[in-house]
Amino acid sequence: PPPPPPPPQMAQQSVSAEEPAAKRPKLDDDAQPTIPPSNVTVASTVSIPLTFGAVPVPVPPPFDPNVMAAPVPPPPPPVPQQQETLPEAEFIATLENPAEVAFCVRIPYDASNAGWNFNGQTIDLSPGATTTVKEVKAMLKEQLGGMPINKMQLKHPDSGFMNKDGLTLAHFNVGPGMTLDLVPKTRGGRK
């Protein structure tokens, strides 16, 4: 006949020789308690006698430096520093020729707006530093097939959208060689 199945496992509890027998956990009749020598520390599973409905709690294994730990995630990328914009008068003083500031406006490619010549081209402009955003949009209107000025938004690479049409290019620190993006305004709602 096959050997009888092993008894249900209970977590082992370290037994102290000084503990009275009444406080020791009850063991099977054929099992002998293991008492470690007094100079050896036993690091094993801690067991508590289970009562009805109790769930055993696993004890994590001891730390092993030879086992490879989970990889440490890389540090987050550095946050780009916002360039501080100069006041309008100071910015104009830094320009070699404030009467002519050459910059580009990048036009998006959008076949659905073919009437406005959105072919992904770049338009070169050379207005003065005191030219307003509205005047720049009027210059673009001629080259974009009559696109309404109120449908245009110019986006600065550092400071974002230039939404105030009455402010000058110097206010937004638009300098020579800079590229602005034209973004058409769209009405709200989903497409």
Side-chain angles (χ1 to χ4, degrees):
Q9 292 207 358
M10 290 181 55
Q12 288 186 343
Q13 185 175 8
S14 55
V15 178
S16 168
E18 292 82 35
E19 228 175 35
K23 289 190 175 182
R24 292 184 190 160
K26 184 175 179 183
L27 302 173
D28 292 341
D29 294 335
D30 60 331
Q32 294 294 323
T34 305
I35 301 173
S38 60
N39 63 349
V40 176
T41 306
V42 176
S44 65
T45 308
V46 176
S47 52
I48 301 171
L50 299 178
T51 58
F52 181 76
V55 177
V57 177
V59 176
F63 176 73
D64 184 4
N66 297 325
V67 176
M68 189 165 201
V72 177
V79 177
Q81 296 291 327
Q82 281 282 1
Q83 289 185 351
E84 195 165 318
T85 56
L86 296 173
E88 190 172 344
E90 286 182 33
F91 182 75
I92 290 173
T94 64
L95 297 173
E96 288 181 27
N97 184 9
E100 187 175 307
V101 178
F103 65 93
C104 302
V105 178
R106 189 176 356 198
I107 309 300
Y109 175 79
D110 187 1
S112 66
N113 289 322
W116 291 342
N117 298 330
F118 281 6
N119 300 323
Q121 73 270 30
T122 301
I123 298 175
D124 295 327
L125 298 174
S126 295
T130 56
T131 305
T132 64
V133 173
K134 187 173 186 174
E135 293 168 344
V136 171
K137 289 179 180 180
M139 293 176 199
L140 291 172
K141 179 180 180 175
E142 300 167 8
Q143 298 185 22
L144 293 177
M147 179 181 185
I149 292 175
N150 64 344
K151 297 287 185 189
M152 295 182 198
Q153 294 182 84
L154 292 176
K155 187 175 181 184
H156 192 281
D158 297 325
S159 59
F161 286 103
M162 300 165 49
N163 288 333
K164 302 289 183 185
D165 285 349
L167 297 177
T168 65
L169 295 175
H171 174 82
F172 291 105
N173 291 184
V174 176
M178 187 168 283
T179 300
L180 303 177
D181 289 315
L182 176 77
V183 180
K185 284 185 185 177
T186 55
R187 295 185 63 177
R190 293 194 300 186
K191 288 187 175 183

